[in-house]
Amino acid sequence: MFSQEEIKKRTGAYAADYVEQGMTIGLGTGSTVYWLLQELGKRVQSGLHFRAVPTSRQTQTLATELGIPLADLNNVDQLALTLDGADEIAPGLQLIKGGGGALLQEKIVAAASKQLIIIADENKVVNTLGKFPLPVEVIPFGWKQVQKKVMQQLGCQLVELREKNGGTFVSDHGHYILDCHFGQISDPAELNEALHLIPGVVETGLFVSMADIAVVGYADGRITTTTSTTS
């Protein structure tokens, strides 16, 4: 049986095969994507040529260290694919993302891609979204008003302002993140729309009907690929 870190390493290496010569791709953020980047860095040294749009400063820094050429999304018409992680993967490849705080940029990059390929370990697979607190990115001004509306209007059990290193977490784009404990999200599309109607909400961690393929690694050594029925 493989440890969780070994599963992530094997899954990341497996997913590197999706990157082909000459592609311009999106590179996500997270612990499994870390191992994908390590593998892609090795392949660049062996002659693989591609460009990548990073979804966070963290990914940008690591990709640069590994010699992976970067591109500006504003100079790209469309990305061939994006490889990214997820915090929860439900049936139909509905996702919760944003545990690392990069959900805004991740969603913009995913929307610019022909394919969104999610890589994760088996612990991220769930029957229903919502056990993982849903990240909602908000502007700092009036964030408590957003918090109140999410609880009162949408029935959220608990909404916490994300903190890091003893202070308020601030995203790459200068926003705050509210972690919303819904417990269970029966209709992700409806909730995503309702959250966007609240003034001050920048983006949500609900990735609805965006993922095309999920690559999932298991402790017994299996790596499975699931394709969305809407792809």
Side-chain angles (χ1 to χ4, degrees):
M1 301 292 279
F2 292 96
S3 69
Q4 190 170 21
E5 201 60 28
E6 288 170 332
I7 296 168
K8 292 176 179 181
K9 186 175 182 179
R10 296 177 77 253
T11 306
Y14 179 96
D17 286 345
Y18 284 99
V19 182
E20 299 175 1
Q21 201 73 248
M23 278 185 169
T24 301
I25 68 169
L27 283 178
T29 304
S31 54
T32 306
V33 174
Y34 169 85
W35 291 111
L36 166 70
L37 287 165
Q38 295 294 331
E39 178 64 26
L40 288 175
K42 293 175 185 175
R43 297 190 185 192
V44 166
Q45 298 305 316
S46 299
L48 177 63
H49 297 286
F50 70 95
R51 297 186 305 156
V53 174
T55 61
S56 66
R57 289 176 189 160
Q58 177 187 348
T59 296
Q60 179 179 338
T61 299
L62 181 56
T64 300
E65 291 173 356
L66 294 169
I68 297 172
L70 300 181
D72 185 331
L73 188 59
N74 288 318
N75 299 326
V76 174
D77 182 46
Q78 188 177 44
L79 299 171
L81 56 87
T82 286
L83 290 155
D84 206 349
D87 298 298
E88 285 188 340
I89 305 171
L93 302 191
Q94 310 297 9
L95 314 172
I96 285 181
K97 289 176 49 54
L103 61 145
L104 174 60
Q105 205 160 314
E106 286 173 343
K107 193 173 278 192
I108 292 171
V109 171
S113 307
K114 291 180 182 177
Q115 277 193 316
L116 173 59
I117 301 171
I118 297 299
I119 59 175
D121 64 83
E122 61 184 306
N123 294 326
K124 305 299 172 61
V125 179
V126 299
N127 291 322
T128 306
L129 297 179
K131 184 176 180 181
F132 187 91
L134 173 65
V136 176
E137 191 157 342
V138 300
I139 65 169
F141 177 79
W143 69 266
K144 285 189 177 181
Q145 292 296 319
V146 179
Q147 179 189 46
K148 183 170 67 174
K149 286 179 169 60
V150 172
M151 294 182 73
Q152 293 179 352
Q153 298 178 9
L154 302 181
C156 188
Q157 303 163 7
L158 174 67
V159 178
E160 297 178 299
L161 179 67
R162 185 177 298 185
E163 295 184 353
K164 186 177 182 180
N165 299 327
T168 301
F169 175 88
V170 179
S171 75
D172 283 354
H173 297 279
H175 302 135
Y176 291 171
I177 290 181
L178 300 178
D179 289 311
C180 304
H181 299 252
F182 282 96
Q184 192 171 23
I185 298 172
S186 57
D187 192 332
E190 182 179 58
L191 179 58
N192 185 54
E193 186 175 342
L195 285 165
H196 275 288
L197 291 175
I198 298 174
V201 170
V202 178
E203 192 51 85
T204 85
L206 286 167
F207 282 55
V208 180
S209 302
M210 294 188 75
D212 298 285
I213 298 171
V215 179
V216 178
Y218 291 81
D220 62 7
R222 288 180 299 131
I223 297 177
T224 65
T225 58
T226 303
T227 303
S228 170
T229 55
T230 59
S231 298

